[in-house]
Amino acid sequence: RPYLPYPGLGVLLSAAQSSSSSYQSLQVRVNRRFSQVFLFNVSYTLAKAIGDAQDRWDGSQDPFNPKADRGYNEDDRRNVLVIHSIYELPFFKSQRGIPGYVLKGWQLSATANFNSGRHFNPGLTGAANQIASRPDVIGKAVLPKSEKTLRRFFNTGAFARPAAWTWGNAGRNILPGPGTNTWDVLIAKNTRIKEQLNVQFRCETFNFFNHPSYVGINTTFGSAAFGQVNGVNAGRTFQLGMKVVF
């Protein structure tokens, strides 16, 4: 039945402490040092974050049924794996003089991050007599991995525009986005000037393999780009730095 418009009233905005969220996770971490020169660290998190609002300005689609908005939070990451290692080159440790300053003290470090994708909320373009902020779901929205492409990351045919004066039945953040895969590499040179003074020159490479990780999807039903990937992380970057430790 029609809920709007109410004659003589414009937009009504209310704020209340009525939302909640829940985060549950299993966290595992393994550290292992091999001799005095190699450190290996693995961290894994299996998590689930749900709620009925993302932040304090995130309103419900149906103000009379806010619990219908309970679903995945945007920052839900089901799987997070981080592998980190440090290798201190053991060569030329006894070298003296200028050759010792040049040849000893080198360090190599690498960090690999593998994350599940964030969740995306389906939306709608504007239309006459429309009060819904999400579309209707009429099919299976998530595609098998073998069918996903950059131009059709999810099943766009699984959505429809709600009838006038009705709410969309699509849940909040029901579209899982693409995961990320990045490798960062550090090469450092430590030069000990005195017993309590060390100078470190650093060359850091972010996204060492220049692997594209897609981070955005157009989820607005009615848009010409609906279902297309529209964001990618930064490519390979280098950073030089110096650190003095005393």
Side-chain angles (χ1 to χ4, degrees):
R1 63 181 176 81
Y3 293 99
L4 295 175
Y6 297 113
L9 294 180
V11 176
L12 300 177
L13 177 63
S14 65
Q17 295 180 341
S18 58
S19 298
S20 64
S21 62
S22 170
Y23 176 82
Q24 299 175 341
S25 69
L26 168 68
Q27 302 179 29
V28 180
R29 183 174 182 178
V30 178
N31 290 300
R32 180 67 186 272
R33 178 177 287 277
F34 299 88
S35 71
Q36 298 296 317
V37 297
F38 184 63
L39 175 65
F40 185 75
N41 176 286
V42 177
S43 299
Y44 173 72
T45 301
L46 174 65
K48 184 178 182 180
I50 59 175
D52 48 32
Q54 186 64 32
D55 54 46
R56 59 180 179 174
W57 300 116
D58 191 8
S60 302
Q61 176 185 231
D62 181 358
F64 300 105
N65 185 19
K67 293 305 178 182
D69 276 22
R70 193 160 186 84
Y72 293 114
N73 287 338
E74 285 185 10
D75 53 1
D76 175 84
R77 298 291 189 277
R78 186 55 49 87
N79 297 283
V80 177
L81 175 65
V82 180
I83 303 173
H84 177 67
S85 62
I86 301 175
Y87 180 58
E88 297 179 2
L89 275 67
F91 314 114
F92 308 107
K93 283 192 172 183
S94 60
Q95 189 73 43
R96 302 289 183 178
I98 295 178
Y101 279 111
V102 176
L103 298 176
K104 68 181 180 181
W106 289 93
Q107 182 184 85
L108 179 65
S109 174
T111 303
N113 290 274
F114 305 91
N115 298 336
S116 298
R118 52 162 285 200
H119 287 267
F120 289 84
N121 199 39
L124 285 167
T125 56
N129 301 327
Q130 177 176 287
I131 61 172
S133 58
R134 295 194 295 269
D136 282 339
V137 177
I138 57 175
K140 187 175 181 180
V142 179
L143 290 173
K145 185 176 181 180
S146 59
E147 298 181 20
K148 292 180 179 179
T149 66
L150 297 182
R151 298 187 63 84
R152 187 172 177 264
F153 193 80
F154 56 86
N155 182 11
T156 55
F159 296 91
R161 188 175 297 277
W165 313 114
T166 63
W167 308 113
N169 65 16
R172 191 172 67 92
N173 295 330
I174 61 172
L175 297 172
T180 58
N181 171 3
T182 58
W183 293 71
D184 301 329
V185 176
L186 163 70
I187 299 176
K189 172 65 172 71
N190 293 291
T191 303
R192 187 164 296 281
I193 307 300
K194 296 180 179 180
E195 183 177 353
Q196 297 183 347
L197 179 62
N198 181 65
V199 178
Q200 184 185 77
F201 293 92
R202 303 164 60 93
C203 175
E204 297 174 271
T205 307
F206 303 98
N207 195 4
F208 180 79
F209 294 108
N210 206 28
H211 175 76
S213 293
Y214 302 104
V215 294
I217 311 173
N218 186 313
T219 59
T220 304
F221 180 85
S223 167
F226 183 53
Q228 297 181 18
V229 173
N230 59 8
V232 65
N233 68 344
R236 183 191 301 116
T237 57
F238 292 90
Q239 177 177 291
L240 300 177
M242 183 182 74
K243 182 169 65 174
V244 178
V245 182
F246 58 90

